[in-house]
Amino acid sequence: MESQENKIKSLRRSIIDMIKVRKGGHLGPALSLVEILYVLYEYILNFNPKNPSWKKRDRLIFSKGHGCLALYAILAEKKFIKKSDLKTFCEPNSILGGHPEKNKIPGVEASTGSLGHGLPIGVGMSLAAKLNKEKHKIFVILGDGEMNEGSNWEALMTASKHKLENLTIIIDRNKLQAYGKTEDILSIEPLKSKLESFGSEVKSTDGHDINKLKKILKKTPFKKGRISALICNTTKGKGLNFAENKGEWHHKSNLSEQEIDKMYNFLK
Amino acid sequence: MRKTSLDTVYEIAKKNKKVIFLGSDLGFKTLDDMRVRLPKNFLMEGICEQNLIGMSAGLAMEGYIPYINTIGTFLTRRCYEQIFLDICLHNLPVRLIGNGGGLVYAPLGPTHLSVEDFAILRPIPNMTIISPCDAIEMKKIMLQTELFPGPIYIRVARGGDKIITSKETNVKIGKAVELIKPIEAVFITTGTTTQIALDAINLLNSNNSKIGLVHLHTVKPLDTTYLKNLFNSTKLAVIVEEHSVVGGLGSAILEFINDYRIENVRIKRIGIPDKFVEKYGTQETLLKYLKIDRDNLIEEMKKLLKGN
């Protein structure tokens, strides 16, 4: 049986497969998410790739749309889409664009790409589930830079008002946004106490530690009657040591074949 | 008209449990009966309009039919991207009820004047834009919104507006209403400018003119079938709207005339000039100041009839 370590490497290689097609893309923000998505799809979410709109499925809103290379890799792994789809990334007739679209990709719950949209949608879905007395859960993945958007904080107030304990937000805290460090551009700290004061029950963990992620995410809600918020401390560009924690790897274009080969070599 | 629109939401919600009303921070006791009797279908969510639209999209994705109501400018200008992406890109049955369409909030100034709502919503695919002329028509339209596919924006006028249609008037979303058959020329109107044009026509036609009146409650999509027939026989038209001359009904009809290669028609547009409305006063005083009033409509139609 394939080891967890190999599975994770294989997902990262799938990301490079897509990067290779376009000779670029949002690499750094996808690589920080790999373990989080792996744990969600391997151990946490209820879903059926043969029936992506199955009513009882758990909903994952991928609000950090620019991290979609990681999402596409896991959707292919779980057979929502074909592995061959990955090799069409951003081609004119591909279902896979630079940001994910609900109406094109099976398993994508909402079209995202402009930040600050996923959480309000997730709040609506969570409220619907609560009103309908349905048992499925709603997860929203947010970037840490994305927490600059005021709409997230509006949505958190609403989620708290309605006591949406079926809602879990996962923040990819890689500490970098496009221009530089999140704390230099617009500080979101103290994030934990901010989230708490907006009505969330907050935990934080190493976002690359599969066992810890699994243990925490299996126990949502963290507290009855409250939204769960998990801050995942991650490394932008994780897995490629030359790209780790480097702002310039947020988005790349015109990558050479040698640079792409170098990436594959790291992920052997 | 506003009361009718909201009362009709309540009426629909009594029968259809998937209808859910969302307000931001509306006037005290708005829809109070609905709040008490249908608490699961009534939400008052505070002054966070962007979130309100996204949340409605989430509810609609799960099978609900959300009706959102607040002041028009906050619903459209402020939430443009949420309308564009969350609602329209997903093509969801969310209904936006915008209060104070046009110059209704004259005393409150430019923050509250909704005079570019058609222009900003028209380019969004899947969007239907409706601007009823009176409460009777509003009721008929609201009843049709329950099962209408896709997003809808409904522009609400002041309230207590003069009733000019009757129970017999045939109203269907997307279809023109020919209130007076055009012979010599026609006024094409939307919203409560239909009332102003009717006043103008009553005076013009009492002096032997034969001017028609076509009310387009649906600004998008245009009733192109009707308009093609209309312009086959009627070659003079004055389009009147309580909206900027940029991008509204007049623009839509000019685009239609160009795209369908309709020739030999003379069009005059009456609307709000491309500048900020700098005065206060009342809706009526502003309409008069901006020459969207009966007397100017008569004057412009007379000029057009004389070939000017």
Side-chain angles (χ1 to χ4, degrees):
Chain A
M1 207 178 131
E2 199 180 1
S3 72
Q4 260 179 1
E5 194 187 346
N6 282 340
K7 281 184 180 172
I8 294 292
K9 270 194 181 166
S10 160
L11 288 169
R12 287 202 161 88
R13 274 197 303 274
S14 292
I15 291 174
I16 311 305
D17 290 344
M18 288 177 272
I19 288 281
K20 191 178 174 180
V21 181
R22 234 198 88 195
K23 297 185 172 48
H26 281 101
L27 183 62
L31 289 171
S32 59
L33 276 169
V34 173
E35 286 84 358
I36 296 169
L37 286 169
Y38 173 76
V39 168
L40 282 168
Y41 280 86
E42 192 71 25
Y43 303 109
I44 308 297
L45 300 175
N46 281 313
F47 58 84
N48 178 2
K50 288 184 182 152
N51 181 11
S53 53
W54 175 44
K55 212 164 169 19
K56 291 183 178 175
R57 75 194 183 281
D58 293 322
R59 275 71 161 162
L60 174 78
I61 314 274
F62 195 76
S63 192
K64 187 193 149 168
H66 59 285
C68 62
L69 290 168
L71 180 69
Y72 298 163
I74 195 83
L75 288 178
E77 184 60 35
K78 294 297 170 190
K79 299 190 167 31
F80 281 96
I81 58 176
K82 299 191 286 287
K83 291 220 166 165
S84 59
D85 288 328
L86 303 181
K87 305 212 161 146
T88 67
F89 178 58
C90 284
E91 286 183 348
N93 296 320
S94 178
I95 59 167
L96 306 179
H99 294 97
E101 287 191 64
K102 176 187 170 75
N103 298 335
K104 290 182 180 165
I105 313 169
V108 168
E109 297 285 353
S111 300
T112 53
S114 177
L115 298 173
H117 286 255
L119 187 50
I121 292 174
V123 167
M125 286 183 165
S126 303
L127 183 60
K130 185 176 178 178
L131 290 170
N132 297 339
K133 297 191 166 56
E134 291 163 334
K135 298 288 176 210
H136 63 263
K137 291 178 177 178
I138 291 86
F139 295 82
V140 181
I141 294 185
L142 298 145
D144 51 1
E146 184 176 8
M147 296 311 287
N148 293 171
E149 293 282 5
S151 53
N152 286 322
W153 301 97
E154 294 181 1
L156 284 171
M157 280 194 278
T158 307
S160 171
K161 168 186 164 178
H162 292 288
K163 300 185 168 50
L164 298 178
E165 64 179 21
N166 53 1
L167 176 65
T168 299
I169 66 168
I170 297 170
I171 299 174
D172 180 9
R173 185 79 178 101
N174 61 33
K175 299 166 203 73
L176 285 172
Q177 51 196 103
Y179 194 76
K181 292 179 183 169
T182 55
E183 294 317 288
D184 293 341
I185 309 289
L186 183 60
S187 172
I188 56 170
E189 294 296 345
L191 184 57
K192 185 168 187 281
S193 56
K194 272 189 182 123
L195 290 165
E196 281 169 348
S197 70
F198 275 71
S200 312
E201 190 66 21
V202 188
K203 289 183 191 282
S204 55
T205 190
D206 176 347
H208 300 300
D209 186 322
I210 290 169
N211 290 331
K212 283 183 184 164
L213 283 167
K214 193 168 134 186
K215 204 171 159 193
I216 293 173
L217 286 168
K218 278 206 166 185
K219 288 184 185 156
T220 59
F222 300 155
K223 191 171 183 183
K224 205 169 164 34
R226 280 165 81 85
I227 327 151
S228 306
L230 179 60
I231 301 170
C232 293
N233 293 303
T234 59
T235 301
K236 203 162 181 168
K238 177 78 177 176
L240 302 176
N241 76 345
F242 56 90
E244 286 184 1
N245 291 319
K246 298 245 169 63
E248 63 267 34
W249 283 91
H250 174 78
H251 183 274
K252 277 281 178 186
S253 45
N254 300 318
L255 286 166
S256 68
E257 277 185 31
Q258 289 82 352
E259 283 174 298
I260 289 167
D261 286 344
K262 193 174 158 193
M263 292 177 195
Y264 280 123
N265 284 336
F266 265 94
L267 298 168
K268 271 184 181 167
Chain B
M1 189 190 286
R2 180 188 169 200
K3 189 173 181 319
T4 304
S5 70
L6 299 190
D7 287 349
T8 315
V9 175
Y10 181 24
E11 190 179 322
I12 301 168
K14 282 180 194 164
K15 294 181 207 148
N16 185 344
K17 296 297 167 216
K18 290 294 177 190
V19 167
I20 193 161
F21 177 82
L22 297 96
S24 57
D25 185 26
L26 302 179
F28 189 58
K29 297 240 170 190
T30 301
L31 276 181
D32 204 42
D33 198 40
M34 182 177 183
R35 181 182 66 82
V36 174
R37 289 172 194 269
L38 298 176
K40 285 185 174 176
N41 304 72
F42 180 93
L43 298 167
M44 192 61 70
E45 293 302 299
I47 308 161
C48 52
E49 295 85 358
Q50 302 173 78
N51 173 54
L52 206 56
I53 304 268
M55 192 178 157
S56 303
L59 284 160
M61 285 171 180
E62 299 294 338
Y64 281 88
I65 308 168
Y67 284 75
I68 313 177
N69 177 228
T70 189
I71 289 172
T73 52
F74 308 155
L75 200 52
T76 57
R77 283 207 290 257
R78 186 183 192 94
C79 302
Y80 192 65
E81 195 181 64
Q82 279 75 15
I83 294 174
F84 196 101
L85 295 175
D86 303 349
I87 298 178
C88 292
L89 179 60
H90 294 113
N91 200 12
L92 296 168
V94 177
R95 285 75 178 95
L96 308 169
I97 306 172
N99 295 345
L103 302 161
V104 168
Y105 291 126
L108 304 184
T111 54
H112 284 59
L113 297 183
S114 183
V115 295
E116 72 302 299
D117 45 348
F118 301 157
I120 62 173
L121 298 176
R122 274 182 60 229
I124 312 181
N126 299 328
M127 180 58 99
T128 294
I129 303 172
I130 302 177
S131 176
C133 66
D134 65 18
I136 290 182
E137 187 177 78
M138 174 63 92
K139 170 107 185 179
K140 291 176 186 169
I141 283 170
M142 289 303 292
L143 289 170
Q144 291 172 39
T145 60
E146 180 188 353
L147 301 174
F148 192 85
I152 310 175
Y153 168 69
I154 302 137
R155 186 203 248 214
V156 182
R158 189 179 57 190
D161 310 279
K162 193 170 149 192
I163 299 294
I164 55 169
T165 65
S166 68
K167 283 187 177 162
E168 286 71 42
T169 313
N170 191 10
V171 174
K172 189 161 183 280
I173 294 175
K175 295 288 173 201
V177 181
E178 192 176 271
L179 289 169
I180 302 171
K181 191 169 176 53
I183 303 214
E184 275 182 283
V186 64
F187 279 106
I188 305 175
T189 55
T190 188
T192 46
T193 57
T194 304
Q195 300 167 13
I196 304 170
L198 189 60
D199 288 345
I201 291 170
N202 285 337
L203 279 173
L204 283 161
N205 288 1
S206 68
N207 288 314
N208 298 322
S209 293
K210 288 171 181 171
I211 313 297
L213 178 57
V214 173
H215 166 63
L216 296 179
H217 47 70
T218 306
V219 173
K220 186 191 174 179
L222 279 183
D223 185 351
T224 52
T225 309
Y226 174 82
L227 289 174
K228 268 189 273 183
N229 284 331
L230 171 71
F231 288 123
N232 272 338
S233 52
T234 307
K235 298 295 181 185
L236 301 178
V238 176
I239 303 166
V240 192
E241 58 190 320
E242 197 173 327
H243 184 280
S244 168
V245 288
V246 180
L249 179 65
S251 301
I253 292 175
L254 289 181
E255 288 161 15
F256 157 80
I257 285 170
N258 180 72
D259 295 348
Y260 284 76
R261 296 185 177 191
I262 291 165
E263 292 175 344
N264 302 320
V265 289
R266 173 79 178 95
I267 303 284
K268 169 72 191 175
R269 289 184 296 154
I270 295 179
I272 297 163
D274 181 21
K275 60 180 187 180
F276 286 102
V277 178
E278 289 168 346
K279 307 235 178 239
Y280 299 107
T282 64
Q283 185 183 17
E284 287 71 27
T285 57
L286 276 189
L287 283 167
K288 200 168 177 55
Y289 168 70
L290 295 163
K291 300 195 167 198
I292 310 171
D293 65 329
R294 184 194 66 183
D295 293 347
N296 188 49
L297 264 57
I298 291 172
E299 195 179 315
E300 292 293 343
M301 183 55 89
K302 280 181 176 169
K303 275 196 232 165
L304 205 66
L305 290 167
K306 282 181 195 159
N308 295 323

